[in-house]
Amino acid sequence: MSTTRPLIAASLALVTAAALTGCATGTEEVAADAPAASDAGTVTFSWDRNTAGEDEEPAYEETTVEVPKNPETIVVFDMASLDTIGALGAEVAGAPLDSVPDYLQEHLADDAFNAGTLFEADLVAIEAQQPDLIVIGGRSAGLFEDLNEIAPTVDLSIAGSFEETLERNTTFLGEVLGAEDEAAEALAELEDGIAEARAVTADAGTGLGLMVSGGRLNAMAPSEGDATGRNARGGLIYDVFGVEPVVEDVKGATHGEPVSFEFLLEHNPDYLWVVDRDAATAAEGAQAAATVLDNDIVNQTTAFQNDQIVYLDPTAWYIVFGGIQTTQIMIDDVLQIAE
């Protein structure tokens, strides 16, 4: 099945936000005399930040940052936030340009500068641009302390469930950009789309999310309430879109190890939901997931014989998940099985 989907309806080109602010515990605060980019006030954003070192047990402390409304110069390290900012009608002045997917390029300013990589910021280049707001998340969350010395910096990483984070981040960015109504409209449309997709998967039987990389197969598992990092990415097909796992305890059945082709035949899900990680990361010389799965064992499975192997958009499901346009792409991917 093809996974090339239209980006999003034209009505979502302008999208996002009802008034809600902060990460897990954000509040709004308008100050008419605050030194904001447009003297329009500020929005206060709070989240629990992991202050532990790389090899240490997580240690969280509440972090609060006051962000100017209507910022003129925005630097973004989180691709989901770039997605949402663009969908709400704003543009981004700087980003890790080598990591911006093709379908999000239009949200960059014509003279957008390269802010570094997802893991390492070019602090000199960023400071030279004097940004009003910096947005980080996921891979770039560790950049907070250095970047917050340059400009107000917020971490929009997934916190809580995917849907809670989508609502929080979209609402916050909508309020910052003066696009509250558009944000609220976008969230309502996405909520309806997810509900439609869940209605389709409810009658689809069992499924297995499968990550293919380097010729190996990894069974994706529900997040089990911990929708952070890899758990969020792996559990989306179950947690958000309601696919019934073919194995009750995927983690227990696989021990976190790659699975075999025989595993697929043994458990024999009605649908295979496939993410080609190598395509998402542009791994050089890698075999396409469809090629890896084209063999005599997989061809005996119910999913293959009923043409129910669904190849999900790899960039949306592995790299960007969490933005407005990208969530619509994911909805469209799931709705393929209703066609």
Side-chain angles (χ1 to χ4, degrees), residues 98-115:
D98 291 342
S99 298
V100 177
D102 289 344
Y103 74 96
L104 297 181
Q105 294 280 338
E106 64 180 336
H107 301 325
L108 298 171
D110 291 340
D111 58 350
F113 72 95
N114 190 5

Side-chain angles (χ1 to χ4, degrees), residues 30-32 34 36-42 69-70:
V30 177
S38 62
D39 294 326
T42 60
K69 287 191 173 185
N70 301 320

Side-chain angles (χ1 to χ4, degrees), residues 222-277:
S223 66
E224 299 178 351
D226 181 15
T228 58
R230 295 178 180 177
N231 289 333
R233 179 191 297 130
L236 288 172
I237 195 65
Y238 314 105
D239 303 334
V240 178
F241 294 102
V243 169
E244 178 188 349
V246 68
V247 181
E248 185 173 339
D249 182 4
V250 177
K251 288 182 180 177
T254 63
H255 306 290
E257 298 294 326
V259 300
S260 64
F261 299 117
E262 288 80 6
F263 180 92
L264 305 184
L265 183 58
E266 175 188 355
H267 295 285
N268 204 23
D270 294 302
Y271 279 85
L272 282 174
W273 303 87
V274 181
V275 176
D276 188 336
R277 181 183 181 277

Side-chain angles (χ1 to χ4, degrees), residues 131-181:
D132 303 302
L133 170 64
I134 303 173
V135 182
I136 58 176
R139 299 167 178 83
S140 56
L143 302 175
F144 171 77
E145 291 187 5
D146 288 338
L147 292 174
N148 197 50
E149 292 183 3
I150 298 174
T153 299
V154 293
D155 181 354
L156 300 188
S157 300
I158 288 180
S161 73
F162 173 87
E163 290 162 286
E164 288 170 340
T165 303
L166 177 66
E167 179 178 3
R168 179 203 68 182
N169 292 353
T170 302
T171 300
F172 166 70
L173 291 171
E175 189 170 4
V176 169
L177 299 172
E180 292 94 333
D181 292 343

Side-chain angles (χ1 to χ4, degrees), residues 6-313:
L7 288 185
I8 195 168
S11 62
L12 284 180
L14 298 173
V15 222
T16 304
L20 184 157
T21 306
C23 193
T25 57
T27 57
E28 177 189 3
E29 188 175 74
V30 177
D33 58 349
S38 62
D39 294 326
T42 60
V43 179
T44 301
F45 188 81
S46 299
W47 74 100
D48 292 327
R49 182 168 63 92
N50 182 10
T51 59
E54 185 175 346
D55 298 322
E56 300 174 352
E57 287 293 318
Y60 296 96
E61 74 174 33
E62 185 175 8
T63 302
T64 299
V65 173
E66 200 166 293
V67 175
K69 287 191 173 185
N70 301 320
E72 294 180 5
T73 304
I74 306 172
V75 175
V76 176
F77 284 84
D78 176 51
M79 294 301 105
S81 298
L82 172 60
D83 174 346
T84 295
I85 289 168
L88 292 174
E91 65 179 17
V92 169
L97 297 183
D98 291 342
S99 298
V100 177
D102 289 344
Y103 74 96
L104 297 181
Q105 294 280 338
E106 64 180 336
H107 301 325
L108 298 171
D110 291 340
D111 58 350
F113 72 95
N114 190 5
T117 71
L118 294 176
F119 303 95
E120 184 175 357
D122 186 337
L123 300 177
V124 174
I126 295 169
E127 189 161 19
Q129 297 294 322
Q130 298 185 322
D132 303 302
L133 170 64
I134 303 173
V135 182
I136 58 176
R139 299 167 178 83
S140 56
L143 302 175
F144 171 77
E145 291 187 5
D146 288 338
L147 292 174
N148 197 50
E149 292 183 3
I150 298 174
T153 299
V154 293
D155 181 354
L156 300 188
S157 300
I158 288 180
S161 73
F162 173 87
E163 290 162 286
E164 288 170 340
T165 303
L166 177 66
E167 179 178 3
R168 179 203 68 182
N169 292 353
T170 302
T171 300
F172 166 70
L173 291 171
E175 189 170 4
V176 169
L177 299 172
E180 292 94 333
D181 292 343
E182 293 90 339
E185 180 183 347
L187 287 170
E189 292 197 30
L190 293 177
E191 181 179 353
D192 289 347
I194 290 171
E196 182 183 0
R198 290 180 69 93
V200 169
T201 61
D203 297 325
T206 60
L208 181 68
L210 199 65
M211 184 86 68
V212 179
S213 179
R216 296 180 299 175
L217 317 178
N218 285 277
M220 297 188 289
S223 66
E224 299 178 351
D226 181 15
T228 58
R230 295 178 180 177
N231 289 333
R233 179 191 297 130
L236 288 172
I237 195 65
Y238 314 105
D239 303 334
V240 178
F241 294 102
V243 169
E244 178 188 349
V246 68
V247 181
E248 185 173 339
D249 182 4
V250 177
K251 288 182 180 177
T254 63
H255 306 290
E257 298 294 326
V259 300
S260 64
F261 299 117
E262 288 80 6
F263 180 92
L264 305 184
L265 183 58
E266 175 188 355
H267 295 285
N268 204 23
D270 294 302
Y271 279 85
L272 282 174
W273 303 87
V274 181
V275 176
D276 188 336
R277 181 183 181 277
D278 291 334
T281 60
E284 189 173 347
Q287 280 189 313
T291 301
V292 174
L293 294 173
D294 184 12
N295 59 64
D296 291 341
I297 299 174
V298 176
N299 291 351
Q300 296 177 56
T301 64
T302 297
F304 174 83
Q305 294 183 355
N306 291 342
D307 194 22
Q308 291 177 172
I309 299 179
V310 184
Y311 292 94
L312 303 169
D313 184 293

